[in-house]
Amino acid sequence: MRSLPARRLAAVALTAAASVVALAGPAFAHVTVNPGSAAQGGYTAVDFRVPNENDTASTVKLEVNLPMDHPLASVRTLPLPGWTANVEKSKLDKPIKVHGSDVTEAVSKITWTADAGTKIAPGQFQEFRVSLGPLPTDADSMAFKALQTYDNGDVVRWIDEAQAGQPEPAHPTPILKLTKAAGGDDHGVTASASPAAGTHGDSSDHAAAAAGDTKSSDSTARTLGVVGIVVGVIGTAVGVLGLRRKSGGSTS
């Protein structure tokens, strides 16, 4: 009879652990932009992180639509072995000024297609890196609507924008938040904008990539932290259960 409370304690601990995992899981289940923020007016490199959420099919194509209400004059993809990137441009209704020159077209869509033998299998994810800019100075975020295609023909449309005060949609669109540039003026923007003119793009992209790697490390640390909590809860429950059984055995 003395073992009943211990069993209940173990059951509660396991339920709590499962709840922690359930709450942590969805944060890593959507197509996202990483890092999730960048400075207005500057250039950055981001990863479109694509997890495979299908247990029986593999992802073979990703389409990312760039916002044309804030067109980006410079968009470059980083070569990814096993994937072919196709960049589409569209004419702008109104030219934009970049470094004193008129830009009449901008990238409106990027499509990555898996080569033969390449795929994002169940339980895996892939990151697709893009350098882009200059980011708008009159917006606080940019939405990159995405379509994820599986080899069984299924297409998941990550195009739903979250609304204030409402639950997160089932398929939220990837969002890049834009923050005020350091110093509050355009001097830093001009300096960081120079690489996009085609002279020194590598240094800017590497700096942004380093920032992205830091964000990725933070996400990994948070994941390991959650796992540690789960293991600790289960270990405590098992230890208590063992002590209860030992105590019960010694009195009988």
Side-chain angles (χ1 to χ4, degrees):
M1 295 295 294
R2 292 186 178 182
S3 63
L4 183 57
R7 290 176 180 174
R8 288 178 176 173
L9 179 60
V12 170
L14 291 174
T15 300
S19 299
V20 172
V21 173
L23 290 173
F28 300 92
H30 303 323
V31 173
T32 56
V33 180
N34 297 278
S37 64
Q40 294 176 340
Y43 288 78
T44 189
V46 299
D47 292 317
F48 290 98
R49 185 172 299 164
V50 182
N52 192 319
E53 295 185 316
N54 195 311
D55 294 332
T56 59
S58 299
T59 298
V60 292
K61 185 167 70 171
L62 173 68
E63 301 169 66
V64 174
N65 294 278
L66 282 68
M68 296 306 290
D69 55 342
H70 291 95
L72 299 170
S74 175
V75 177
R76 306 170 184 173
T77 60
L78 182 70
L80 181 63
W83 295 83
T84 299
N86 181 56
V87 178
E88 298 180 25
K89 292 185 177 182
S90 296
K91 289 287 186 181
L92 300 179
D93 294 334
K94 182 180 179 180
I96 58 176
K97 286 280 188 182
V98 178
H99 305 301
S101 300
D102 286 336
V103 175
T104 59
E105 62 178 12
V107 174
S108 56
K109 182 178 180 181
I110 306 174
T111 301
W112 287 271
T113 304
D115 299 337
T118 300
K119 60 186 178 182
I120 308 174
Q124 298 180 348
F125 76 95
Q126 183 59 266
E127 292 181 333
F128 302 83
R129 173 154 290 201
V130 179
S131 170
L132 42 81
L135 301 174
T137 57
D138 58 349
D140 57 11
S141 66
M142 299 183 74
F144 296 87
K145 296 184 177 182
L147 275 66
Q148 180 180 10
T149 301
Y150 288 87
D151 56 9
N152 65 354
D154 289 348
V155 177
V156 181
R157 301 170 62 84
W158 302 94
I159 62 173
D160 300 328
E161 296 193 35
Q163 302 297 323
Q166 298 295 322
E168 182 183 60
H171 300 99
T173 187
I175 297 291
L176 177 65
K177 295 182 179 180
L178 302 179
T179 60
K180 292 293 184 182
D185 55 35
D186 292 335
H187 296 298
V189 175
T190 302
S192 64
S194 298
T199 55
H200 304 288
D202 292 342
S203 60
S204 175
D205 290 350
H206 289 331
D213 291 341
T214 301
K215 291 290 186 178
S216 179
S217 298
D218 292 342
S219 297
T220 301
R222 286 194 294 271
T223 303
L224 294 176
V226 171
V227 173
I229 293 172
V230 174
V231 173
V233 171
I234 295 175
T236 301
V238 172
V240 171
L241 181 60
L243 290 174
R244 290 293 182 88
R245 286 181 175 175
K246 183 176 180 180
S247 176
S250 63
T251 57
S252 59

